[in-house]
Amino acid sequence: AVTRTFSIIKPDATRRNLTGAVTKMLEEAGLRVVASKRIHMTREQAEGFYGVHRERPFFNDLVSFMISGPVVVQVLEGEDAVKRNRDIMGATNPENADAGTIRKELAESIEANSVHGSDSDENAKIEIDYFFKPEEIVG
Ligand code: CMP
């Protein structure tokens, strides 16, 4: 089925002017960008977004990194969008990511790993709603 997922192009990628390179890889993987905006998250916004990781040892560093520069938040649409996006992103740690994936080709480290993608349809809806109003999504 055609579904939607949520993506973030992270500060390490925007800093290196890789917004287009990342988006090209997403599009070539069969995903369509149906919403997109460049934002600089507040600490509160990032803490809320990553709330499920609050107890993790890397939480504070993760939030600091995500507010260290602008990000591009996107809604992606395609056949099985969540899985399709996770496949093209590659493993969280770029060292473990397959060749040809965004993280293998572009990411710097497990923290500065260039992209975020929703891990389930349920979380995709929550994450899309966190950043986008319905009228900002144009399919
Ligand atoms: P993301 O998909 O955005 O969700 C949580 C993020 O935490 C993850 O990508 C990583 O970039 C980041 N992170 C930083 N350190 C770790 C770690 N040790 N284990 C897992 N995720 C980490």
Side-chain angles (χ1 to χ4, degrees), residues 62-73:
L62 172 63
V63 168
S64 295
F65 168 66
M66 291 300 289
I67 65 172
S68 68
V71 300
V72 177
V73 290

Side-chain angles (χ1 to χ4, degrees), residues 10 50 53 58 62 92 103 110-111 113 116:
K10 294 188 181 186
Y50 280 120
H53 296 304
F58 57 82
L62 172 63
T92 303
R103 285 166 170 163
I110 192 169
E111 177 176 271
N113 67 353
H116 165 83

Side-chain angles (χ1 to χ4, degrees), residues 4 6 32-39 45 73-77 127-139:
R4 288 177 175 174
F6 175 75
R32 302 180 72 86
V33 179
V34 294
S36 184
K37 57 187 173 188
R38 181 171 164 108
I39 62 171
Q45 223 174 355
V73 290
Q74 296 178 319
V75 180
L76 308 176
E77 190 176 270
E127 293 176 359
I128 290 168
D129 290 346
Y130 193 78
F131 286 104
F132 288 98
K133 294 182 230 162
E135 61 267 30
E136 292 179 303
I137 305 168
V138 182

Side-chain angles (χ1 to χ4, degrees), residues 3-76:
T3 59
R4 288 177 175 174
T5 191
F6 175 75
S7 171
I8 305 178
I9 303 175
K10 294 188 181 186
D12 66 287
T14 62
R15 190 177 292 129
R16 288 177 290 147
N17 207 21
L18 295 174
T19 297
V22 171
T23 302
K24 184 166 193 282
M25 291 177 80
L26 297 172
E27 290 179 340
E28 285 175 352
L31 293 160
R32 302 180 72 86
V33 179
V34 294
S36 184
K37 57 187 173 188
R38 181 171 164 108
I39 62 171
H40 198 141
M41 276 194 238
T42 64
R43 182 169 293 277
E44 292 66 34
Q45 223 174 355
E47 284 176 350
F49 179 74
Y50 280 120
V52 295
H53 296 304
R54 202 172 284 275
E55 303 307 322
R56 305 265 204 123
F58 57 82
F59 179 73
N60 285 319
D61 286 345
L62 172 63
V63 168
S64 295
F65 168 66
M66 291 300 289
I67 65 172
S68 68
V71 300
V72 177
V73 290
Q74 296 178 319
V75 180
L76 308 176

